[in-house]
């Protein structure tokens, strides 16, 4: 298993291009199952989860062309029959977002057999709300031998109220409703930019959707959808991660292919701590570290609140801020795995339930640390950039799931970082 070795202390300067959003690309690839016409996706990030999804769709019988279309990484997907409506445990256990094939398979083929994803480092990650919503559209779903067994001769549009906001639950139901009979209204829907990007893709395939980006989404079912050519939005979490990288090292970095409007709450919080962030182009922004980083509390919320996927990175930043801060995690029940590793590097972080109390600036020292999930890995890399001495991050396969060549991008900004292949 690869490791990443960082020699801390470099000040990051320069510009870096943000890749396409993993969490927009995954539902977009699943949407290929809704039609037998070619779906071309551009600006895909070259990360493990995209390759895994490509393999899953290929094993189901889709024609998957992962090639470099004109603009960056792209792929063409053709889900022409026959399609196996099974997402096996072997695939789903490595990537829970495989559950996104459930809605499209039910909508187009009337059946699906999808392994339950199981939990992960950050929580139990149930899919009960996906199942409850699909049942509301007339599907019958049972859980047998660790699989969701689903059938629906024809989905019928209905009102669906999510007990709590779920991003992939909203995406699964949106895709299912596109081919249902009649109107579906999703209440308490997720408002993330990735949901809107999926809605834009579905509309370009012929779907009738409105209200995406708000908590009420209306979908008029259609008899069938066609192919499309769609460019995935930039990855707002990668952008936020690089903003913190520039700030924590006391540097100044410019992010290209970045949509600041997708990160309003995160930018607001970073600016409150003294970091200067300003637009430097239509899809670019410039981040400049302050001389003195101020501690600021944060609470993660569903979009447009402060993204839970930026919580670990922000905690690393607050270990360098002057004054105490409290990071409250409201989305996942155990998303503080990175805290104990940061403490091993010299940070003073105390966990009290869903709150992490950081007692302010501590000089960090490099250490051997263990990555536990995608964003925790990123926070350890960020801490390593500012720690004195060497930090060796193990299990970076977590990182490779969602960050494209992060060590190359950081190196281009002046970081002393290298990958050690095992
Ligand atoms: C998506 O996960 C993202 N993944 C996650 O990003 C992100 O952290 C999360 O949304 C929250 O923003 C993708 O988009 C592929 P949820 P998802 O359903 O959809 C509970 C990353 O780092 N819940 O919005 O799985 C759930 O347990 C990843 O890129 C139920 O109880 O998250 C959680 O507490 C990590 N029942 C909360 O809702 C359900 O049926 C939000 O989960 C579904 C969810």
């Amino acid at each position: 298993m690869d490791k990443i070795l960082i020699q801390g202390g470099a000040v990051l300067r320069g510009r870096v291009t943000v890749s396409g959003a993993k969490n927009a690309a995954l539902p977009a690839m699943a949407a290929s199952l809704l039609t037998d016409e070619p779906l071309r996706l551009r600006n895909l990030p070259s990360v493990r989860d995209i390759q895994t999804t490509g393999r899953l769709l290929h094993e189901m019988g889709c024609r998957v062309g992962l090639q470099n279309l004109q603009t960056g990484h792209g792929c063409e997907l053709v889900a022409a029959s026959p399609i196996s409506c099974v997402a096996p445990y072997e695939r789903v256990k490595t990537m829970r977002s495989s559950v996104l094939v459930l809605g499209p398979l039910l909508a187009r083929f009337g059946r699906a057999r999808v392994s339950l994803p199981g939990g992960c480092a950050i929580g139990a990650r149930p899919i009960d709300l996906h199942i409850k919503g699909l049942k509301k559209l007339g599907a019958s779903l049972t859980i047998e031998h660790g699989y969701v067994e689903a059938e629906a001769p024809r989905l019928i549009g209905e009102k669906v109220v999510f007990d709590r906001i779920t991003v992939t639950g909203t995406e699964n139901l949106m895709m299912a409703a596109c081919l249902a009979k009649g109107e579906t209204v999703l209440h308490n829907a997720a408002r993330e930019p990735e949901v809107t990007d999926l809605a834009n893709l579905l509309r370009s395939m012929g779907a009738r959707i409105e209200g995406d980006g708000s908590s009420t989404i209306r979908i008029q079912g259609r008899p069938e959808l066609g192919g499309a050519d769609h460019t995935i939005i930039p990855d707002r979490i990668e952008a936020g991660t690089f903003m913190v990288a520039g700030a924590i090292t006391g540097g100044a970095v410019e992010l290209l292919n970045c949509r600041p409007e997708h990160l309003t709450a995160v930018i607001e919080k970073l600016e409150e701590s003294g970091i200067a962030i300003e637009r430097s182009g239509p899809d670019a922004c410039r981040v400049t570290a302050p001389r003195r980083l101020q501690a600021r509390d944060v609470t993660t919320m569903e979009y447009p609140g402060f993204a839970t996927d930026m919580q670990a990175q922000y905690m690393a930043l607050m270990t360098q801020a002057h004054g105490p801060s409290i990071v409250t995690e409201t989305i996942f029940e155990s998303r503080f795995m990175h805290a104990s590793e940061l403490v091993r590097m010299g940070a003073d972080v105390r966990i009290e339930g869903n709150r992490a109390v950081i007692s302010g600036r501590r000089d960090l020292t490099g250490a051997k640390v263990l990555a536990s999930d995608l964003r925790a890995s990123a926070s350890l890399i960020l801490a390593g950039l500012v720690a004195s001495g060497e930090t060796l991050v193990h299990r970076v396969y977590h990182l490779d799931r969602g960050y494209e060549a992060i060590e190359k991008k950081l190196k281009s900004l002046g970081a002393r970082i290298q990958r050690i292949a095992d």
Side-chain angles (χ1 to χ4, degrees), residues 7-23:
Q7 178 67 38
V11 175
L12 299 195
R13 296 189 189 292
R15 63 173 55 145
V16 67
T17 299
V18 176
S19 299
K22 161 182 88 81
N23 290 350

Side-chain angles (χ1 to χ4, degrees), residues 22-23 125-129 164 166-168 309 331 375:
K22 161 182 88 81
N23 290 350
R125 312 292 298 273
I127 60 166
D128 56 309
L129 301 179
R164 71 174 292 177
T166 160
V167 175
T168 49
D309 291 351
I331 307 296
R375 307 304 173 182

